[in-house]
Amino acid sequence: MPQENMGDEVSSVTVVGGGDAGLLAALAVRSVNPGLDVRVVDDFAESPTRVGKSTFQAVVPLLHDVLDIDEGRFLQTVRPVWKGSAAANAYVMYPNMAYHLSIGRFNELLRELCGERDVALVDDRVTDVRTNDDDTYVERVAGEDAVYDADLYVDATGFKRLLMDRLDADYRSFDIPLDAAFHATADHDIEDTVPATVVESGEYGWFWQIDTYDHRDLGYVYSSEHVSDDEALAEFEAHREEVFADLERYEFDSGFYEDAWVGNCVATGNALGFIEPLQSTALTTHLNTSVRLSRQLAAHGHINDAGLRESFNRYVTGTWNSVYDFISVHYLFADAVNDFWADMRDIPTSDRIDQYLAYYDANGFELYDSEVVTEEGTQLGMLTFPTSSLYFLIRNMGAESTFYEEHDFSVSGEIKERWRQRNGYVKDLADQCLSYEQVYKSGVVDAYVRNESAFAQAAAPNPQS
Ligand SMILES: Cc1cc2nc3c(=O)[nH]c(=O)nc-3n(C[C@H](O)[C@H](O)[C@H](O)COP(=O)(O)OP(=O)(O)OC[C@H]3O[C@@H](n4cnc5c(N)ncnc54)[C@H](O)[C@@H]3O)c2cc1C
């Protein structure tokens, strides 16, 4: 049992919750800590969150390089849709394009990988979580079948937050009215796959469409303070032509645990935090944070002490502040067409965003993150998104810049022509590329995997020579 002084060595980790975030955390911990006992306890009868999973670019190297998930096997089993390719239904491989993940398929692959990598999967329902008198560490986690002792627990129980709820941990709520969502799936023909996360604004929030191999994933994120659930659902149904299946409603309190690691318990996934999903940040960010946890544990000799926890919690806070900043900029220049949009315009922005806006006004774009420093010399950089992408966002959302008003930045005919040619080239490329139907139904992926393994065998050193 963990001791209260918390300077103890961690030799066993129990992840409670086997949704995507929990399994990714277990695999991340395993990746650089081969000596640790790692297990995941999940009530496998209960399905993980079924919301469609759009990711952002960082997920690609995290999955394939850091977690060493073979790309060919990933294509065969998960059948992702590449997000942001050049044309509808075209498989155009740009490096590091993010994925749309099919509900269920990804989780299944992660379970298989756990089995192969010595991460025990235990099917049990956790029914008893006890903490010490101060609620600063977890004393006991028990399920219907067994008691689960561990030096470190990871709470990955989604919005239930079974362990974190029992601990004395600071939770920071974001002051943003969006707090509910309807989610549904619909059938679609693979030929109609849209390789982009489509977002459109509604009366009281925004709609999403995330096409995956198996179906079309649809949702409406809205503010329950401004519209009733019935009206929101009616607006959602009126917005789409498809017949909805698997309709579900989610409620959330946008925010995160500033004390993501308390005593002997770390949170991940929806148990750690959630913000309305406009930028598809959740899963990728959770994976990144789990990799951080894993590496910090290894580098710290697996000693769980206050210094390690503070360092990790600082990183988590920086990450979530970055995500909030990025999201908040989307609403700053919204048209205040009703009370909801007026309130969204007024959501608080951080000092960092105010400085970016002032900088953009005075100087226009700043493409080199490292050059944006405060008077104190500290960087304004964001942990999750490059600051350069923030400037594009600020501009595209409608920020004005005195710098561009006072200087002539009109685009020359020559540049416009080059841009036109470049777009034509990308379109031609897309026309020549395989459609999703061809990619997934023709056996191309299987052939690719066979060739890759044949190539790997041929390239391997020959022990006879
Ligand atoms: C409206 C909405 C839209 C979203 N869109 C995106 C998006 O586009 N991109 C993105 O990256 N993320 C998105 N998310 C977040 C997404 O849900 C999570 O990133 C992802 O599903 C990981 O969830 P999780 O593993 O933390 O929790 P869950 O998937 O809920 O998993 C929790 C697990 O805990 C287990 N469990 C619970 N109680 C017990 C118990 N008592 N005993 C044992 N096991 C238990 C459950 O069985 C389950 O497997 C969205 C979320 C919402 C609400």
Side-chain angles (χ1 to χ4, degrees):
M1 172 144 324
Q3 300 302 303
E4 207 159 343
N5 68 20
M6 290 303 128
D8 291 339
E9 187 169 346
V10 174
S11 58
S12 59
V13 177
T14 291
V15 179
V16 184
D20 294 347
L23 297 175
L24 286 168
L27 290 168
V29 168
R30 164 58 72 239
S31 67
V32 287
N33 299 280
L36 295 188
D37 278 341
V38 185
R39 76 179 152 203
V40 178
V41 181
D42 187 89
D43 179 5
F44 287 116
E46 185 177 325
S47 87
T49 311
R50 294 180 45 79
V51 199
K53 292 172 175 76
S54 177
T55 57
F56 66 92
Q57 285 161 327
V59 83
V60 176
L62 284 170
L63 288 176
H64 303 308
D65 299 338
V66 179
L67 291 194
D68 198 20
I69 298 178
D70 179 72
E71 201 179 347
R73 179 174 175 188
F74 179 82
L75 297 187
Q76 270 179 322
T77 52
V78 180
R79 306 196 159 200
V81 163
W82 285 266
K83 178 176 162 182
S85 44
N89 191 29
Y91 164 81
V92 182
M93 271 295 264
Y94 292 131
N96 267 4
M97 275 197 325
Y99 300 128
H100 287 176
L101 303 166
S102 273
I103 290 167
R105 286 177 182 272
F106 184 54
N107 195 266
E108 229 171 276
L109 173 66
L110 296 179
R111 285 189 204 187
E112 272 175 36
L113 290 166
C114 284
E116 292 162 18
R117 296 182 185 186
D118 197 22
V119 172
L121 295 180
V122 182
D123 186 1
D124 193 5
R125 177 170 191 74
V126 169
T127 48
D128 185 22
V129 176
R130 292 188 205 166
T131 53
N132 64 339
D133 290 345
D134 299 339
D135 296 328
T136 51
Y137 71 92
V138 174
E139 279 187 338
R140 180 182 147 96
V141 172
E144 286 166 355
D145 300 337
V147 174
Y148 300 100
D149 289 337
D151 300 324
L152 187 67
Y153 293 98
V154 177
D155 185 347
T157 56
F159 291 120
K160 286 188 184 167
R161 300 175 179 167
L162 279 188
L163 283 70
M164 291 306 287
D165 254 2
R166 307 295 308 272
L167 289 164
D168 181 17
D170 280 345
Y171 186 86
R172 184 178 149 210
S173 288
F174 293 125
D175 194 0
I176 182 166
L178 292 162
D179 62 353
F182 281 108
H183 167 245
T185 58
D187 289 340
H188 79 316
D189 286 334
I190 187 103
E191 307 90 74
D192 298 332
T193 301
V194 177
T197 303
V198 181
V199 170
E200 295 167 281
S201 48
E203 286 281 301
Y204 302 101
W206 54 268
F207 304 100
W208 82 74
Q209 174 186 328
I210 300 172
D211 283 3
T212 66
Y213 176 78
D214 296 304
H215 58 235
R216 176 159 286 167
D217 190 86
L218 300 165
Y220 183 35
V221 183
Y222 62 96
S223 159
S224 63
E225 188 190 319
H226 293 85
V227 64
S228 73
D229 297 337
D230 288 346
E231 285 168 313
L233 180 57
E235 191 192 345
F236 181 29
E237 285 170 335
H239 182 69
R240 303 294 318 191
E241 290 169 351
E242 296 89 343
V243 177
F244 289 171
D246 308 318
L247 184 72
E248 284 175 314
R249 182 176 174 278
Y250 289 89
E251 264 177 26
F252 45 86
D253 168 14
S254 279
F256 69 101
Y257 280 105
E258 285 178 318
D259 296 328
W261 186 342
V262 180
N264 58 347
C265 181
V266 190
T268 189
N270 292 338
L272 165 59
F274 186 73
I275 182 163
E276 59 100 337
L278 185 64
Q279 277 294 341
S280 321
T281 47
L283 203 59
T284 314
T285 303
H286 297 315
L287 172 54
N288 186 49
T289 309
S290 290
V291 168
R292 172 92 182 186
L293 169 72
S294 167
R295 289 178 173 166
Q296 279 196 285
L297 262 180
H300 211 63
H302 302 114
I303 302 299
N304 173 10
D305 60 16
L308 180 61
R309 294 193 294 272
E310 277 163 26
S311 162
F312 179 79
N313 289 343
R314 236 188 345 266
Y315 184 78
V316 168
T317 300
T319 298
W320 281 80
N321 284 340
S322 297
V323 172
Y324 176 81
D325 281 354
F326 205 73
I327 299 279
S328 67
V329 171
H330 289 78
Y331 297 109
L332 282 185
F333 307 100
D335 287 336
V337 289
N338 60 16
D339 285 353
F340 165 73
W341 284 104
D343 286 350
M344 287 306 288
R345 253 181 101 115
D346 287 345
I347 64 171
T349 48
S350 67
D351 290 350
R352 170 166 53 190
I353 290 297
D354 294 343
Q355 288 181 62
Y356 281 133
L357 290 169
Y359 187 96
Y360 178 72
D361 183 30
N363 306 294
F365 278 94
E366 174 59 76
L367 292 179
Y368 302 100
D369 292 5
S370 59
E371 289 182 14
V372 184
V373 293
T374 64
E375 280 170 15
E376 292 77 35
T378 49
Q379 287 195 11
L380 274 176
M382 306 178 72
L383 276 172
T384 309
F385 298 97
T387 48
S388 48
S389 63
L390 196 89
Y391 283 96
F392 284 105
L393 186 62
I394 289 173
R395 199 271 310 264
N396 291 345
M397 288 294 145
E400 290 179 356
S401 171
T402 314
F403 180 73
Y404 292 121
E405 279 162 25
E406 289 178 352
H407 299 86
D408 180 12
F409 272 87
S410 50
V411 179
S412 71
E414 186 197 338
I415 297 285
K416 281 185 186 157
E417 176 53 22
R418 276 205 234 160
W419 187 247
R420 200 189 59 73
Q421 284 175 9
R422 180 250 176 221
N423 285 347
Y425 167 75
V426 172
K427 189 176 172 314
D428 289 348
L429 187 66
D431 288 345
Q432 290 163 27
C433 286
L434 301 177
S435 70
Y436 278 102
E437 192 177 19
Q438 289 164 324
V439 168
Y440 285 128
K441 293 201 166 161
S442 66
V444 164
V445 170
D446 297 333
Y448 166 79
V449 173
R450 274 199 305 276
N451 286 342
E452 284 285 291
S453 34
F455 178 75
Q457 271 170 19
N462 182 350
Q464 309 300 323
S465 61

